Short mmCIF file of all heavy atoms in Angstrom, two decimals:
data_model
loop_
_atom_site.label_atom_id
_atom_site.label_comp_id
_atom_site.label_asym_id
_atom_site.label_seq_id
_atom_site.Cartn_x
_atom_site.Cartn_y
_atom_site.Cartn_z
N MET A 1085 20.68 -39.54 47.74
CA MET A 1085 20.02 -40.17 46.61
C MET A 1085 19.20 -39.07 45.90
O MET A 1085 18.58 -38.25 46.52
CB MET A 1085 19.11 -41.29 47.10
CG MET A 1085 18.41 -42.09 46.03
SD MET A 1085 19.41 -43.02 44.91
CE MET A 1085 20.06 -44.33 45.99
N ASN A 1086 19.25 -39.15 44.56
CA ASN A 1086 18.50 -38.13 43.84
C ASN A 1086 17.05 -38.50 43.79
O ASN A 1086 16.68 -39.68 43.93
CB ASN A 1086 19.01 -37.97 42.42
CG ASN A 1086 18.70 -39.22 41.56
OD1 ASN A 1086 17.64 -39.37 41.09
ND2 ASN A 1086 19.72 -40.05 41.32
N LYS A 1087 16.15 -37.53 43.57
CA LYS A 1087 14.72 -37.80 43.64
C LYS A 1087 14.15 -38.47 42.35
O LYS A 1087 13.05 -38.93 42.42
CB LYS A 1087 13.97 -36.55 43.95
CG LYS A 1087 14.10 -35.41 42.87
CD LYS A 1087 13.32 -34.19 43.30
CE LYS A 1087 13.52 -33.12 42.22
NZ LYS A 1087 12.74 -31.92 42.60
N PHE A 1088 14.95 -38.54 41.33
CA PHE A 1088 14.42 -39.16 40.11
C PHE A 1088 15.00 -40.53 39.86
O PHE A 1088 14.43 -41.32 39.08
CB PHE A 1088 14.78 -38.27 38.88
CG PHE A 1088 14.09 -36.98 38.94
CD1 PHE A 1088 14.85 -35.82 39.14
CD2 PHE A 1088 12.74 -36.81 38.84
CE1 PHE A 1088 14.22 -34.57 39.24
CE2 PHE A 1088 12.10 -35.61 38.91
CZ PHE A 1088 12.86 -34.46 39.09
N SER A 1089 16.08 -40.92 40.47
CA SER A 1089 16.73 -42.19 40.29
C SER A 1089 17.06 -42.45 38.81
O SER A 1089 18.03 -41.90 38.28
CB SER A 1089 15.90 -43.30 40.88
OG SER A 1089 16.58 -44.52 40.79
N HIS A 1090 16.21 -43.18 38.14
CA HIS A 1090 16.51 -43.48 36.75
C HIS A 1090 15.21 -43.78 35.96
O HIS A 1090 14.18 -43.98 36.56
CB HIS A 1090 17.41 -44.71 36.63
CG HIS A 1090 16.77 -46.00 36.92
ND1 HIS A 1090 16.52 -46.41 38.27
CD2 HIS A 1090 16.29 -47.03 36.17
CE1 HIS A 1090 15.93 -47.53 38.25
NE2 HIS A 1090 15.77 -47.96 37.03
N MET A 1091 15.40 -43.78 34.67
CA MET A 1091 14.32 -44.07 33.76
C MET A 1091 14.76 -45.22 32.80
O MET A 1091 15.87 -45.07 32.26
CB MET A 1091 13.80 -42.95 32.93
CG MET A 1091 13.20 -41.83 33.74
SD MET A 1091 12.40 -40.63 32.73
CE MET A 1091 10.93 -41.52 32.20
N ASP A 1092 14.00 -46.28 32.65
CA ASP A 1092 14.32 -47.33 31.69
C ASP A 1092 13.42 -47.04 30.49
O ASP A 1092 12.18 -47.00 30.65
CB ASP A 1092 14.02 -48.69 32.25
CG ASP A 1092 15.04 -49.12 33.28
OD1 ASP A 1092 16.09 -48.58 33.33
OD2 ASP A 1092 14.71 -50.02 34.05
N LEU A 1093 14.01 -46.96 29.32
CA LEU A 1093 13.27 -46.81 28.09
C LEU A 1093 13.39 -48.07 27.22
O LEU A 1093 14.49 -48.60 27.11
CB LEU A 1093 13.78 -45.64 27.32
CG LEU A 1093 13.83 -44.28 27.98
CD1 LEU A 1093 14.52 -43.21 27.11
CD2 LEU A 1093 12.41 -43.83 28.39
N ARG A 1094 12.31 -48.46 26.62
CA ARG A 1094 12.33 -49.57 25.69
C ARG A 1094 11.96 -49.05 24.33
O ARG A 1094 10.94 -48.34 24.22
CB ARG A 1094 11.37 -50.70 26.13
CG ARG A 1094 11.99 -51.54 27.19
CD ARG A 1094 10.97 -52.09 28.22
NE ARG A 1094 11.59 -52.90 29.19
CZ ARG A 1094 12.27 -52.49 30.19
NH1 ARG A 1094 12.55 -51.18 30.35
NH2 ARG A 1094 12.79 -53.27 31.11
N VAL A 1095 12.77 -49.35 23.34
CA VAL A 1095 12.55 -48.88 21.99
C VAL A 1095 12.49 -50.06 21.08
O VAL A 1095 13.08 -51.08 21.38
CB VAL A 1095 13.61 -47.93 21.52
CG1 VAL A 1095 13.63 -46.65 22.38
CG2 VAL A 1095 15.01 -48.57 21.51
N LYS A 1096 11.71 -49.97 19.96
CA LYS A 1096 11.60 -51.06 19.03
C LYS A 1096 12.92 -51.30 18.26
O LYS A 1096 13.21 -52.43 17.93
CB LYS A 1096 10.49 -50.86 18.06
CG LYS A 1096 9.16 -50.96 18.70
CD LYS A 1096 8.02 -51.00 17.76
CE LYS A 1096 6.73 -51.23 18.44
NZ LYS A 1096 5.73 -51.98 17.69
N SER A 1097 13.67 -50.22 18.02
CA SER A 1097 14.92 -50.36 17.27
C SER A 1097 15.99 -49.39 17.87
O SER A 1097 15.81 -48.15 17.76
CB SER A 1097 14.67 -50.00 15.79
OG SER A 1097 15.91 -49.89 15.11
N LEU A 1098 17.06 -49.95 18.42
CA LEU A 1098 18.15 -49.08 18.89
C LEU A 1098 18.79 -48.38 17.68
O LEU A 1098 19.17 -47.19 17.80
CB LEU A 1098 19.22 -49.94 19.61
CG LEU A 1098 19.02 -50.16 21.05
CD1 LEU A 1098 20.11 -51.07 21.61
CD2 LEU A 1098 19.01 -48.86 21.86
N GLU A 1099 18.91 -49.03 16.57
CA GLU A 1099 19.55 -48.42 15.43
C GLU A 1099 18.85 -47.16 14.95
O GLU A 1099 19.44 -46.18 14.67
CB GLU A 1099 19.59 -49.38 14.28
CG GLU A 1099 20.28 -48.87 13.01
CD GLU A 1099 20.23 -49.88 11.86
OE1 GLU A 1099 19.78 -51.02 12.03
OE2 GLU A 1099 20.68 -49.50 10.77
N LYS A 1100 17.53 -47.17 15.01
CA LYS A 1100 16.74 -45.98 14.63
C LYS A 1100 16.64 -44.96 15.74
O LYS A 1100 16.56 -43.81 15.46
CB LYS A 1100 15.33 -46.42 14.24
CG LYS A 1100 15.28 -47.20 12.95
CD LYS A 1100 13.89 -47.59 12.56
CE LYS A 1100 13.85 -48.41 11.30
NZ LYS A 1100 12.51 -48.86 10.98
N SER A 1101 16.60 -45.41 17.00
CA SER A 1101 16.27 -44.53 18.09
C SER A 1101 17.54 -43.87 18.72
O SER A 1101 17.50 -42.72 19.23
CB SER A 1101 15.57 -45.25 19.25
OG SER A 1101 14.36 -45.78 18.76
N LEU A 1102 18.67 -44.61 18.74
CA LEU A 1102 19.84 -44.16 19.45
C LEU A 1102 20.41 -42.84 19.02
O LEU A 1102 20.76 -41.99 19.85
CB LEU A 1102 20.92 -45.26 19.36
CG LEU A 1102 21.97 -45.14 20.48
CD1 LEU A 1102 21.37 -45.09 21.87
CD2 LEU A 1102 22.95 -46.31 20.36
N PRO A 1103 20.43 -42.52 17.65
CA PRO A 1103 20.92 -41.20 17.25
C PRO A 1103 20.14 -40.05 17.88
O PRO A 1103 20.77 -39.02 18.29
CB PRO A 1103 20.72 -41.18 15.75
CG PRO A 1103 20.86 -42.64 15.34
CD PRO A 1103 20.14 -43.38 16.50
N PHE A 1104 18.83 -40.17 18.07
CA PHE A 1104 18.08 -39.11 18.72
C PHE A 1104 18.46 -38.95 20.21
O PHE A 1104 18.75 -37.87 20.63
CB PHE A 1104 16.59 -39.51 18.66
CG PHE A 1104 15.72 -38.63 19.55
CD1 PHE A 1104 15.34 -37.37 19.11
CD2 PHE A 1104 15.23 -39.09 20.75
CE1 PHE A 1104 14.56 -36.54 19.86
CE2 PHE A 1104 14.35 -38.25 21.54
CZ PHE A 1104 14.05 -36.98 21.10
N TYR A 1105 18.57 -40.01 20.91
CA TYR A 1105 18.94 -39.99 22.33
C TYR A 1105 20.38 -39.60 22.55
O TYR A 1105 20.74 -38.91 23.54
CB TYR A 1105 18.67 -41.35 23.04
CG TYR A 1105 17.16 -41.56 23.17
CD1 TYR A 1105 16.52 -42.48 22.41
CD2 TYR A 1105 16.35 -40.77 24.04
CE1 TYR A 1105 15.12 -42.68 22.52
CE2 TYR A 1105 15.09 -41.00 24.14
CZ TYR A 1105 14.42 -41.91 23.41
OH TYR A 1105 13.05 -42.08 23.51
N GLU A 1106 21.28 -39.91 21.60
CA GLU A 1106 22.67 -39.52 21.66
C GLU A 1106 22.89 -38.02 21.56
O GLU A 1106 23.81 -37.43 22.02
CB GLU A 1106 23.53 -40.22 20.62
CG GLU A 1106 23.74 -41.68 20.94
CD GLU A 1106 24.45 -42.45 19.83
OE1 GLU A 1106 24.28 -42.08 18.63
OE2 GLU A 1106 25.14 -43.38 20.11
N LYS A 1107 21.93 -37.33 20.96
CA LYS A 1107 21.92 -35.88 20.84
C LYS A 1107 21.17 -35.20 21.99
O LYS A 1107 21.61 -34.21 22.61
CB LYS A 1107 21.32 -35.43 19.57
CG LYS A 1107 22.23 -35.73 18.38
CD LYS A 1107 21.61 -35.17 17.03
CE LYS A 1107 22.60 -35.58 15.91
NZ LYS A 1107 22.05 -35.12 14.64
N LEU A 1108 20.03 -35.79 22.32
CA LEU A 1108 19.15 -35.24 23.36
C LEU A 1108 19.73 -35.29 24.73
O LEU A 1108 19.83 -34.32 25.46
CB LEU A 1108 17.76 -35.89 23.34
CG LEU A 1108 16.83 -35.45 24.43
CD1 LEU A 1108 16.40 -33.99 24.29
CD2 LEU A 1108 15.65 -36.37 24.50
N LEU A 1109 20.08 -36.53 25.16
CA LEU A 1109 20.49 -36.72 26.54
C LEU A 1109 21.70 -35.96 26.98
O LEU A 1109 21.73 -35.32 28.08
CB LEU A 1109 20.62 -38.23 26.87
CG LEU A 1109 19.26 -38.95 26.76
CD1 LEU A 1109 19.41 -40.43 26.90
CD2 LEU A 1109 18.24 -38.38 27.78
N PRO A 1110 22.81 -35.86 26.21
CA PRO A 1110 23.96 -35.02 26.64
C PRO A 1110 23.51 -33.59 26.73
O PRO A 1110 24.03 -32.84 27.59
CB PRO A 1110 24.92 -35.20 25.50
CG PRO A 1110 24.67 -36.59 25.00
CD PRO A 1110 23.14 -36.68 25.06
N ALA A 1111 22.64 -33.09 25.86
CA ALA A 1111 22.16 -31.69 25.90
C ALA A 1111 21.38 -31.39 27.24
O ALA A 1111 21.37 -30.27 27.71
CB ALA A 1111 21.30 -31.34 24.71
N LEU A 1112 20.82 -32.46 27.85
CA LEU A 1112 20.09 -32.33 29.02
C LEU A 1112 20.97 -32.61 30.32
O LEU A 1112 20.46 -32.64 31.42
CB LEU A 1112 18.88 -33.31 29.08
CG LEU A 1112 17.84 -33.02 28.03
CD1 LEU A 1112 16.74 -34.13 28.10
CD2 LEU A 1112 17.19 -31.66 28.21
N GLY A 1113 22.27 -32.82 30.04
CA GLY A 1113 23.17 -33.03 31.16
C GLY A 1113 23.55 -34.48 31.42
O GLY A 1113 24.29 -34.76 32.40
N PHE A 1114 23.12 -35.40 30.58
CA PHE A 1114 23.44 -36.85 30.76
C PHE A 1114 24.66 -37.16 29.86
O PHE A 1114 24.49 -37.66 28.78
CB PHE A 1114 22.21 -37.69 30.46
CG PHE A 1114 21.09 -37.49 31.37
CD1 PHE A 1114 20.11 -36.51 31.10
CD2 PHE A 1114 20.96 -38.19 32.54
CE1 PHE A 1114 19.10 -36.28 31.95
CE2 PHE A 1114 19.88 -37.97 33.41
CZ PHE A 1114 18.98 -36.99 33.10
N THR A 1115 25.82 -36.79 30.36
CA THR A 1115 27.02 -36.82 29.53
C THR A 1115 27.89 -38.05 29.74
O THR A 1115 28.78 -38.26 28.88
CB THR A 1115 27.89 -35.56 29.86
OG1 THR A 1115 28.17 -35.53 31.27
CG2 THR A 1115 27.12 -34.26 29.48
N ARG A 1116 27.68 -38.81 30.74
CA ARG A 1116 28.48 -40.01 30.97
C ARG A 1116 27.75 -41.22 30.38
O ARG A 1116 26.51 -41.30 30.48
CB ARG A 1116 28.72 -40.16 32.46
CG ARG A 1116 29.52 -39.07 33.03
CD ARG A 1116 29.66 -39.16 34.54
NE ARG A 1116 30.42 -40.35 34.88
CZ ARG A 1116 30.21 -41.06 36.02
NH1 ARG A 1116 29.28 -40.74 36.88
NH2 ARG A 1116 30.95 -42.11 36.29
N THR A 1117 28.45 -42.12 29.79
CA THR A 1117 27.84 -43.30 29.18
C THR A 1117 28.38 -44.59 29.75
O THR A 1117 29.55 -44.66 30.11
CB THR A 1117 28.06 -43.36 27.67
OG1 THR A 1117 29.43 -43.36 27.38
CG2 THR A 1117 27.37 -42.15 26.96
N PHE A 1118 27.50 -45.52 29.89
CA PHE A 1118 27.86 -46.88 30.42
C PHE A 1118 27.10 -47.83 29.58
O PHE A 1118 26.00 -48.30 29.93
CB PHE A 1118 27.47 -47.01 31.88
CG PHE A 1118 28.07 -46.04 32.79
CD1 PHE A 1118 27.45 -44.84 33.05
CD2 PHE A 1118 29.30 -46.25 33.37
CE1 PHE A 1118 28.01 -43.89 33.90
CE2 PHE A 1118 29.89 -45.30 34.19
CZ PHE A 1118 29.26 -44.17 34.46
N HIS A 1119 27.63 -48.18 28.41
CA HIS A 1119 26.88 -49.01 27.43
C HIS A 1119 27.38 -50.50 27.59
O HIS A 1119 28.52 -50.78 27.85
CB HIS A 1119 27.20 -48.55 26.03
CG HIS A 1119 26.66 -47.17 25.74
ND1 HIS A 1119 25.74 -46.53 26.44
CD2 HIS A 1119 27.02 -46.30 24.78
CE1 HIS A 1119 25.47 -45.34 25.95
NE2 HIS A 1119 26.27 -45.17 24.92
N SER A 1120 26.41 -51.36 27.33
CA SER A 1120 26.68 -52.84 27.31
C SER A 1120 26.01 -53.40 26.09
O SER A 1120 25.45 -52.61 25.29
CB SER A 1120 26.11 -53.46 28.61
OG SER A 1120 24.72 -53.47 28.59
N VAL A 1121 26.04 -54.68 25.94
CA VAL A 1121 25.44 -55.30 24.80
C VAL A 1121 24.00 -55.00 24.73
O VAL A 1121 23.43 -54.69 23.68
CB VAL A 1121 25.69 -56.82 24.86
CG1 VAL A 1121 24.91 -57.54 23.74
CG2 VAL A 1121 27.13 -57.15 24.74
N ASN A 1122 23.24 -55.05 25.90
CA ASN A 1122 21.81 -54.92 25.88
C ASN A 1122 21.29 -53.55 26.29
O ASN A 1122 20.13 -53.22 26.09
CB ASN A 1122 21.17 -55.97 26.81
CG ASN A 1122 21.41 -57.34 26.31
OD1 ASN A 1122 21.34 -57.61 25.05
ND2 ASN A 1122 21.73 -58.27 27.13
N TRP A 1123 22.15 -52.78 26.95
CA TRP A 1123 21.70 -51.45 27.47
C TRP A 1123 22.61 -50.36 27.07
O TRP A 1123 23.82 -50.53 27.01
CB TRP A 1123 21.56 -51.52 29.04
CG TRP A 1123 20.46 -52.36 29.52
CD1 TRP A 1123 20.52 -53.68 29.83
CD2 TRP A 1123 19.15 -51.93 29.73
NE1 TRP A 1123 19.28 -54.11 30.24
CE2 TRP A 1123 18.42 -53.07 30.24
CE3 TRP A 1123 18.46 -50.72 29.64
CZ2 TRP A 1123 17.11 -53.00 30.57
CZ3 TRP A 1123 17.13 -50.70 30.01
CH2 TRP A 1123 16.48 -51.82 30.44
N ARG A 1124 22.02 -49.20 26.80
CA ARG A 1124 22.76 -47.90 26.58
C ARG A 1124 22.40 -47.05 27.69
O ARG A 1124 21.20 -46.76 27.90
CB ARG A 1124 22.45 -47.24 25.24
CG ARG A 1124 22.55 -48.14 24.03
CD ARG A 1124 23.91 -48.79 23.96
NE ARG A 1124 24.15 -49.50 22.66
CZ ARG A 1124 23.85 -50.74 22.49
NH1 ARG A 1124 23.33 -51.45 23.41
NH2 ARG A 1124 24.04 -51.29 21.31
N VAL A 1125 23.36 -46.65 28.57
CA VAL A 1125 23.07 -45.89 29.77
C VAL A 1125 23.74 -44.52 29.63
O VAL A 1125 24.96 -44.42 29.33
CB VAL A 1125 23.54 -46.62 31.03
CG1 VAL A 1125 23.32 -45.74 32.30
CG2 VAL A 1125 22.88 -47.93 31.15
N PHE A 1126 22.96 -43.44 29.88
CA PHE A 1126 23.43 -42.12 29.87
C PHE A 1126 23.18 -41.52 31.26
O PHE A 1126 22.08 -41.49 31.76
CB PHE A 1126 22.66 -41.28 28.83
CG PHE A 1126 22.87 -41.72 27.43
CD1 PHE A 1126 22.12 -42.77 26.92
CD2 PHE A 1126 23.78 -41.13 26.63
CE1 PHE A 1126 22.24 -43.22 25.62
CE2 PHE A 1126 23.92 -41.52 25.31
CZ PHE A 1126 23.17 -42.61 24.83
N ALA A 1127 24.28 -41.08 31.89
CA ALA A 1127 24.15 -40.64 33.32
C ALA A 1127 24.63 -39.16 33.45
O ALA A 1127 25.44 -38.69 32.69
CB ALA A 1127 24.98 -41.49 34.23
N ALA A 1128 24.11 -38.52 34.46
CA ALA A 1128 24.54 -37.16 34.85
C ALA A 1128 25.92 -37.32 35.49
O ALA A 1128 26.34 -38.41 35.84
CB ALA A 1128 23.53 -36.47 35.78
N GLU A 1129 26.60 -36.21 35.65
CA GLU A 1129 27.94 -36.22 36.34
C GLU A 1129 27.75 -36.58 37.82
O GLU A 1129 26.81 -36.16 38.43
CB GLU A 1129 28.59 -34.79 36.26
CG GLU A 1129 28.99 -34.44 34.79
CD GLU A 1129 30.04 -35.40 34.28
OE1 GLU A 1129 30.98 -35.76 34.97
OE2 GLU A 1129 29.91 -35.77 33.09
N GLY A 1130 28.67 -37.37 38.29
CA GLY A 1130 28.65 -37.84 39.66
C GLY A 1130 28.69 -39.33 39.77
O GLY A 1130 28.87 -39.99 38.71
N GLU A 1131 28.54 -39.83 40.93
CA GLU A 1131 28.60 -41.23 41.14
C GLU A 1131 27.22 -41.92 41.14
O GLU A 1131 26.33 -41.46 41.82
CB GLU A 1131 29.30 -41.55 42.48
CG GLU A 1131 30.80 -41.11 42.45
CD GLU A 1131 31.61 -41.84 41.42
OE1 GLU A 1131 31.47 -43.06 41.24
OE2 GLU A 1131 32.48 -41.13 40.77
N LEU A 1132 27.08 -43.00 40.38
CA LEU A 1132 25.86 -43.76 40.43
C LEU A 1132 25.88 -44.55 41.76
O LEU A 1132 26.90 -44.89 42.28
CB LEU A 1132 25.90 -44.79 39.27
CG LEU A 1132 25.75 -44.20 37.89
CD1 LEU A 1132 25.92 -45.31 36.82
CD2 LEU A 1132 24.43 -43.47 37.69
N PRO A 1133 24.76 -44.73 42.41
CA PRO A 1133 23.40 -44.43 41.96
C PRO A 1133 22.90 -43.05 42.47
O PRO A 1133 21.68 -42.84 42.45
CB PRO A 1133 22.60 -45.55 42.59
CG PRO A 1133 23.27 -45.79 43.88
CD PRO A 1133 24.76 -45.54 43.61
N SER A 1134 23.75 -42.20 42.92
CA SER A 1134 23.28 -40.95 43.46
C SER A 1134 22.99 -39.91 42.44
O SER A 1134 22.57 -38.81 42.80
CB SER A 1134 24.34 -40.38 44.47
OG SER A 1134 25.52 -40.11 43.80
N VAL A 1135 23.10 -40.18 41.16
CA VAL A 1135 22.77 -39.26 40.11
C VAL A 1135 21.72 -39.87 39.17
O VAL A 1135 21.65 -41.09 39.05
CB VAL A 1135 24.04 -38.80 39.29
CG1 VAL A 1135 25.01 -38.11 40.15
CG2 VAL A 1135 24.66 -40.03 38.58
N PRO A 1136 20.91 -39.08 38.49
CA PRO A 1136 19.94 -39.61 37.62
C PRO A 1136 20.55 -40.20 36.34
O PRO A 1136 21.64 -39.75 35.94
CB PRO A 1136 19.04 -38.47 37.25
CG PRO A 1136 19.80 -37.27 37.54
CD PRO A 1136 20.79 -37.66 38.62
N TYR A 1137 19.89 -41.17 35.79
CA TYR A 1137 20.39 -41.78 34.52
C TYR A 1137 19.26 -42.31 33.72
O TYR A 1137 18.18 -42.68 34.27
CB TYR A 1137 21.51 -42.84 34.73
CG TYR A 1137 21.05 -44.04 35.50
CD1 TYR A 1137 20.62 -45.19 34.76
CD2 TYR A 1137 21.07 -44.10 36.83
CE1 TYR A 1137 20.30 -46.34 35.42
CE2 TYR A 1137 20.75 -45.32 37.53
CZ TYR A 1137 20.28 -46.40 36.81
OH TYR A 1137 19.94 -47.51 37.48
N PHE A 1138 19.47 -42.44 32.41
CA PHE A 1138 18.52 -43.04 31.48
C PHE A 1138 19.13 -44.33 30.97
O PHE A 1138 20.31 -44.35 30.58
CB PHE A 1138 18.24 -42.14 30.24
CG PHE A 1138 17.29 -41.08 30.48
CD1 PHE A 1138 17.69 -39.89 31.10
CD2 PHE A 1138 15.99 -41.20 30.06
CE1 PHE A 1138 16.79 -38.87 31.32
CE2 PHE A 1138 15.08 -40.15 30.27
CZ PHE A 1138 15.48 -39.02 30.91
N ALA A 1139 18.39 -45.43 30.98
CA ALA A 1139 18.89 -46.70 30.43
C ALA A 1139 17.92 -47.06 29.28
O ALA A 1139 16.68 -47.11 29.44
CB ALA A 1139 18.86 -47.77 31.53
N ILE A 1140 18.48 -47.33 28.12
CA ILE A 1140 17.71 -47.67 26.94
C ILE A 1140 18.04 -49.04 26.45
O ILE A 1140 19.24 -49.41 26.32
CB ILE A 1140 18.01 -46.62 25.82
CG1 ILE A 1140 17.83 -45.22 26.34
CG2 ILE A 1140 17.20 -46.92 24.57
CD1 ILE A 1140 18.34 -44.10 25.40
N THR A 1141 17.01 -49.85 26.17
CA THR A 1141 17.18 -51.17 25.60
C THR A 1141 16.22 -51.42 24.52
O THR A 1141 15.19 -50.74 24.38
CB THR A 1141 17.00 -52.27 26.76
OG1 THR A 1141 17.48 -53.53 26.23
CG2 THR A 1141 15.53 -52.33 27.15
N GLU A 1142 16.62 -52.32 23.63
CA GLU A 1142 15.79 -52.70 22.45
C GLU A 1142 14.78 -53.72 22.84
O GLU A 1142 15.18 -54.74 23.46
CB GLU A 1142 16.70 -53.13 21.31
CG GLU A 1142 15.93 -53.37 20.02
CD GLU A 1142 16.84 -53.66 18.89
OE1 GLU A 1142 17.24 -54.80 18.71
OE2 GLU A 1142 17.17 -52.67 18.14
N ASP A 1143 13.56 -53.49 22.45
CA ASP A 1143 12.50 -54.49 22.70
C ASP A 1143 11.56 -54.45 21.46
O ASP A 1143 10.65 -53.67 21.45
CB ASP A 1143 11.73 -54.16 23.97
CG ASP A 1143 10.62 -55.17 24.29
OD1 ASP A 1143 10.39 -56.05 23.47
OD2 ASP A 1143 10.00 -55.00 25.35
N PRO A 1144 11.88 -55.30 20.42
CA PRO A 1144 11.08 -55.20 19.20
C PRO A 1144 9.58 -55.48 19.41
O PRO A 1144 8.78 -55.06 18.59
CB PRO A 1144 11.71 -56.29 18.32
CG PRO A 1144 13.05 -56.54 18.88
CD PRO A 1144 12.95 -56.18 20.36
N GLU A 1145 9.18 -56.18 20.45
CA GLU A 1145 7.80 -56.44 20.77
C GLU A 1145 7.15 -55.43 21.65
O GLU A 1145 5.95 -55.58 21.93
CB GLU A 1145 7.72 -57.86 21.43
CG GLU A 1145 8.34 -58.99 20.63
CD GLU A 1145 7.68 -59.15 19.24
OE1 GLU A 1145 6.44 -59.06 19.18
OE2 GLU A 1145 8.42 -59.33 18.23
N HIS A 1146 7.85 -54.38 21.97
CA HIS A 1146 7.28 -53.37 22.87
C HIS A 1146 6.07 -52.65 22.25
O HIS A 1146 6.07 -52.35 21.05
CB HIS A 1146 8.33 -52.29 23.23
CG HIS A 1146 7.79 -51.22 24.09
ND1 HIS A 1146 7.48 -51.44 25.41
CD2 HIS A 1146 7.44 -49.93 23.86
CE1 HIS A 1146 7.06 -50.31 25.93
NE2 HIS A 1146 7.02 -49.41 25.00
N VAL A 1147 5.03 -52.50 23.06
CA VAL A 1147 3.85 -51.78 22.56
C VAL A 1147 3.62 -50.63 23.52
O VAL A 1147 3.56 -50.76 24.76
CB VAL A 1147 2.59 -52.75 22.63
CG1 VAL A 1147 1.35 -51.99 22.29
CG2 VAL A 1147 2.79 -53.93 21.75
N ARG A 1148 3.55 -49.46 22.98
CA ARG A 1148 3.34 -48.25 23.77
C ARG A 1148 1.88 -48.21 24.22
O ARG A 1148 0.99 -48.45 23.43
CB ARG A 1148 3.71 -46.99 22.94
CG ARG A 1148 3.58 -45.71 23.71
CD ARG A 1148 4.03 -44.57 22.96
NE ARG A 1148 3.20 -44.43 21.73
CZ ARG A 1148 3.20 -43.41 20.93
NH1 ARG A 1148 4.02 -42.41 21.18
NH2 ARG A 1148 2.49 -43.38 19.85
N THR A 1149 1.69 -47.88 25.49
CA THR A 1149 0.34 -47.82 26.04
C THR A 1149 0.09 -46.39 26.58
O THR A 1149 1.05 -45.74 27.07
CB THR A 1149 0.12 -48.84 27.17
OG1 THR A 1149 1.09 -48.59 28.18
CG2 THR A 1149 0.28 -50.22 26.65
N ALA A 1150 -1.13 -45.98 26.50
CA ALA A 1150 -1.50 -44.71 27.09
C ALA A 1150 -1.55 -44.82 28.61
O ALA A 1150 -2.05 -45.81 29.11
CB ALA A 1150 -2.84 -44.24 26.50
N ILE A 1151 -1.18 -43.75 29.25
CA ILE A 1151 -1.29 -43.75 30.75
C ILE A 1151 -2.45 -42.84 31.11
O ILE A 1151 -2.79 -41.88 30.62
CB ILE A 1151 -0.01 -43.15 31.35
CG1 ILE A 1151 1.15 -44.08 30.96
CG2 ILE A 1151 -0.17 -43.02 32.80
CD1 ILE A 1151 2.47 -43.63 31.50
#
């Protein structure tokens, strides 16, 4: 198992956000995609769940909070 597992991202608009992530994530090694109606998933090479992946979904009501 990888030490990072995965990250779930919530964005207010997939239409506005997805072009950014479609360029960024493959450049970082997340070249495999597993997209569905509600989620866009970008994974590193290898078999899930042993590789890290990013999962992005739209949530128009999402409010970013400071950590």
Side-chain angles (χ1 to χ4, degrees):
M1085 184 64 70
N1086 72 74
K1087 63 182 179 178
F1088 297 110
S1089 183
H1090 72 283
M1091 294 191 74
D1092 287 342
L1093 303 176
R1094 279 147 179 77
V1095 297
K1096 288 191 178 213
S1097 169
L1098 271 176
E1099 181 181 356
K1100 291 179 180 178
S1101 302
L1102 202 52
F1104 170 77
Y1105 290 108
E1106 288 175 329
K1107 289 182 181 178
L1108 174 68
L1109 294 174
L1112 295 175
F1114 297 89
T1115 57
R1116 298 174 64 213
T1117 58
F1118 303 90
H1119 297 339
S1120 69
V1121 173
N1122 295 320
W1123 289 91
R1124 305 307 186 270
V1125 177
F1126 297 83
E1129 291 297 319
E1131 294 300 318
L1132 293 173
S1134 63
V1135 297
Y1137 65 93
F1138 279 82
I1140 304 169
T1141 192
E1142 185 173 83
D1143 181 357
E1145 302 300 318
H1146 179 72
V1147 176
R1148 183 175 60 169
T1149 58
I1151 296 178

